[in-house]
Amino acid sequence: MHGTARLKQQQKKKSAKSFWLKQLHSWHWISSAISLIGLLLFAFTGITLNHAADVEGSPQTIEKSATLPNDLRKLIAPDDAADAKKPLPALVAAWVEKTTGQRGGGEAEWSADEIYLALPRPGGDGWVSIDRNDGTVTSEATSRGWVSYLNDLHKGRNTGTVWKWFIDIFSVACFLFALTGLLLLQLHAKKRPSTWPLVAIGLALPAVLAIIFIH
């Protein structure tokens, strides 16, 4: 009887371990699949950011100028209102986008004589200025190249809310990938004696480098 009970207990323990091992493998490959492309992107841009001065491209700037039609000029005519931040009228925004090739949406800075629309974006910059008196529109768009674009994606610079959400979700996937990998190492460590020494090296190396070389 005691042998039978012990056997059942061992089978139960083995079944539980098998269940959790299967779950860990599932979460590990799912999280790795979700984060794979993002990891490649962030690993690559980690190198380009670390050598930004060596791979920096030459900025290219495009300037344009035009004049608002009379019917649209009425929509932004000077007034006595205090300086404020508000969007361009829809018709003016559509005309600006069509004429300058830059977005006309977003919050613009309205002063007594001028409307200034800042248009920062990953890998570049831009702005549109509108004279409220004579309707003169001036725009400038600067591009710093695709490496700068990818670097800004890495930093989340001027990327908007959707990309920030992506970074958060990607970070959770990477965390799960690393955590399930660590737990799988724990389960297989007995058969692989070098597991924990390698983990210790991975922990100690950046710590030692930071303490000795970063001041």
Side-chain angles (χ1 to χ4, degrees):
M1 292 293 292
H2 291 293
T4 303
R6 189 180 297 109
L7 181 61
K8 287 184 177 179
Q9 188 176 9
Q10 289 175 348
Q11 289 176 340
K12 187 176 181 180
K13 185 181 293 186
K14 186 176 181 181
S15 177
K17 182 178 179 180
S18 177
F19 170 79
W20 285 112
L21 185 61
K22 185 177 180 180
Q23 292 297 314
L24 286 173
H25 275 292
S26 295
W27 281 103
H28 191 64
W29 80 258
I30 289 172
S31 60
S32 68
I34 292 174
S35 60
L36 174 62
I37 302 303
L39 277 171
L40 291 174
L41 169 65
F42 279 77
F44 174 75
T45 50
I47 296 173
T48 57
L49 280 169
N50 200 38
H51 299 275
D54 299 323
V55 298
E56 186 177 0
S58 300
Q60 296 182 345
T61 301
I62 298 175
E63 298 179 357
K64 292 184 179 180
S65 61
T67 303
L68 271 175
N70 290 331
D71 56 333
L72 296 181
R73 199 180 306 174
K74 297 175 183 177
L75 300 176
I76 54 101
D79 53 36
D80 295 328
D83 292 357
K85 284 190 174 184
K86 59 183 180 179
L88 293 173
L91 292 175
V92 175
W95 184 91
V96 166
E97 187 163 344
K98 181 179 179 181
T99 304
T100 68
Q102 300 207 73
R103 291 183 295 106
E107 295 285 297
E109 299 176 13
W110 293 61
S111 62
D113 300 313
E114 181 189 36
I115 302 173
Y116 181 82
L117 180 61
L119 298 170
R121 62 184 183 278
D125 203 353
W127 53 265
V128 174
S129 174
I130 305 175
D131 190 305
R132 299 181 68 180
N133 293 294
D134 60 16
T136 299
V137 178
T138 306
S139 77
E140 185 177 288
T142 301
S143 174
R144 295 189 296 272
W146 66 271
V147 173
S148 179
Y149 175 80
L150 293 178
N151 287 346
D152 284 347
L153 291 185
H154 183 115
K155 295 182 288 186
R157 177 179 178 270
N158 300 322
T159 53
T161 303
V162 173
W163 185 258
K164 289 182 179 179
W165 273 104
F166 166 76
I167 291 178
D168 288 342
I169 295 170
F170 164 74
S171 298
V172 171
C174 288
F175 179 81
L176 287 174
F177 176 61
L179 181 61
T180 53
L182 183 62
L183 294 174
L184 286 170
L185 285 177
Q186 166 69 29
L187 291 174
H188 294 297
K190 290 183 180 179
K191 299 178 182 179
R192 299 167 183 170
S194 62
T195 295
W196 296 123
L198 289 174
V199 172
I201 290 173
L203 172 65
L205 183 60
V208 170
L209 291 177
I211 292 172
I212 296 177
F213 296 104
I214 300 177
H215 302 286

